[in-house]
Amino acid sequence: MISLAREPYPSRNLREPLLARRREPVVWSCGTAPEGLPEGALASYEKNGYFVLPKVFTDSQVRMMQREMQRLLDKYCGSHDATVIREPGSDAVRSLFDLPTMSPMFQHLACHPRLLAFAQHVLDSEVYLHQSRLNFKPGLTGKEFFWHSDFETWHMEDGMPAMRALSCSVLLTDNDEYNGPLLVIPGSHKTYVGCVGETPEDNYKSSLMSQTVGTPSTEALTLLTDQAGGLASVKGPAGTVVFFDSNLLHGSAGNISPYPRANVFMVYNSMENQLGAPLHGLNPRPEHIARRSLIQPLHTP
Ligand code: 6CS
Ligand code: FE
């Protein structure tokens, strides 16, 4: 009798929320840590699911990236291109997806030696960009990102097989307590939260503005926050880099400060973890959200 492989991370077709234990390691490599990482960085990342590297980029490098960000904003602010996501209830640009196709500078950023070395070490393989985006969270109009696990979406809607991906956020503005910094539940990356609620057709057309499907239950959020001993906010000056695991529960509040909270997000996926078929018969999401074709490993220039 051959038993069918059970789905290790079920979601979206559940009658009630579910918690499952993570099957994969957090840090895949057992080798020597990449150069330049502070002592204990990988242990902290393994335990908490995220790690903050302050001021990786100098003020002049940040200014260069801010000018490039403004160039892209000016170019796309009136565009109907699918890579442009607007804020709910306003025309303000919320996100720009697929940065390397828009900007050689952000393609170069994805191959930055310190960013790439961290991703290749943690994922213990060559890596490629599964997704990239600029989240602008404009002052006064930037709305929240409710609690979610990116992996839950990427597993369900993109067919990402395993938790062998990570996000790298480069802060292009200061992220402080006023402008909606990233909030995380430390340690939540070790528990997979299966969510109730069917996935609508073309869900991404609304979920990137406001996610309502694939969001953890109140009980799950409360339990994992209790276990963590509380939430953490990821604050830092522009030029700071934050790495976080694909399954870490995170979100961010709306920005009612008059200043933007603009960050680049790049998702490094292992070359051994390329996308398969989405679950529940969903149609694959577009390439600018989830890369499927022409996949080449990233290398430092
Ligand atoms: O659907 C996605 O892939 C996106 N959704 C969120 C809220 N975070 C990750 C990613 O940008
Ligand atoms: Fe996310």
Side-chain angles (χ1 to χ4, degrees):
M1 166 70 174
I2 298 175
S3 64
L4 290 177
R6 278 168 43 79
E7 164 54 50
Y9 300 124
S11 190
R12 312 280 177 99
N13 63 342
L14 304 173
R15 279 193 294 277
E16 55 188 10
L18 160 148
L19 297 183
R21 194 178 301 284
R22 178 191 187 109
R23 304 249 180 128
E24 297 85 358
V26 177
V27 177
W28 286 68
S29 169
C30 306
T32 316
E35 264 180 56
L37 264 187
E39 185 69 29
L42 289 171
S44 170
Y45 180 85
E46 197 284 335
K47 175 173 178 279
N48 296 313
Y50 70 104
F51 191 75
V52 182
L53 276 178
K55 290 307 285 175
V56 170
F57 297 97
T58 63
D59 290 349
S60 65
Q61 290 172 320
V62 168
R63 279 193 297 276
M64 263 173 47
M65 291 190 277
Q66 288 171 337
R67 280 195 295 273
E68 179 67 353
M69 173 176 73
Q70 192 56 55
R71 182 186 74 82
L72 293 174
L73 253 184
D74 295 345
K75 178 175 178 186
Y76 288 95
C77 64
S79 164
H80 296 291
D81 194 295
T83 55
V84 183
I85 308 297
R86 296 185 189 280
E87 287 292 349
S90 97
D91 261 351
V93 177
R94 178 177 175 91
S95 304
L96 279 182
F97 274 77
D98 211 10
L99 298 178
T101 56
M102 302 175 171
S103 162
M105 182 188 293
F106 286 126
Q107 171 61 35
H108 192 72
L109 178 67
C111 300
H112 186 281
R114 290 187 69 184
L115 309 188
L116 207 42
F118 185 92
Q120 289 167 337
H121 180 84
V122 167
L123 305 178
D124 196 22
S125 71
E126 299 255 46
V127 298
Y128 72 97
L129 278 192
H130 159 65
Q131 178 185 106
S132 62
R133 62 200 185 278
L134 247 173
N135 280 354
F136 292 93
K137 198 175 277 197
L140 303 174
T141 58
K143 295 289 182 286
E144 77 281 359
F145 287 82
F146 191 70
W147 291 106
H148 63 280
S149 150
D150 292 336
F151 177 75
E152 190 276 344
T153 292
W154 297 337
H155 185 57
M156 285 293 131
E157 300 188 45
D158 298 333
M160 182 182 281
M163 296 179 188
R164 193 172 183 180
L166 61 87
S167 286
C168 170
S169 177
V170 179
L171 310 190
L172 298 190
T173 60
D174 293 351
N175 281 220
D176 57 35
E177 57 270 44
Y178 311 109
N179 63 355
L182 187 69
L183 302 178
V184 298
I185 304 180
S188 60
H189 61 305
K190 297 193 175 178
T191 301
Y192 176 80
V193 180
C195 307
V196 298
E198 296 284 316
T199 310
E201 197 61 37
D202 292 344
N203 182 44
Y204 66 92
K205 289 182 178 169
S206 60
S207 68
L208 298 176
M209 289 169 71
S210 171
Q211 185 168 352
T212 54
V213 175
T215 48
S217 67
T218 304
E219 295 77 11
L221 287 168
T222 308
L223 172 75
L224 292 168
T225 305
D226 289 347
Q227 271 182 358
L231 302 176
S233 69
V234 181
K235 294 181 279 193
T240 296
V241 169
V242 188
F243 295 104
F244 59 99
D245 180 83
S246 64
N247 188 46
L248 183 72
L249 287 178
H250 65 284
S252 58
N255 179 7
I256 59 168
S257 86
Y259 309 113
R261 187 226 70 177
N263 295 346
V264 177
F265 288 83
M266 298 178 293
V267 182
Y268 292 103
N269 190 24
S270 168
M271 287 296 287
E272 318 305 319
N273 196 38
Q274 297 186 38
L275 305 186
L279 271 74
H280 310 316
L282 292 170
N283 294 323
R285 299 200 295 174
E287 280 286 321
H288 67 271
I289 296 177
R291 178 121 338 266
R292 287 178 180 276
S293 59
L294 306 175
I295 288 179
Q296 291 296 323
L298 294 174
H299 294 119
T300 45

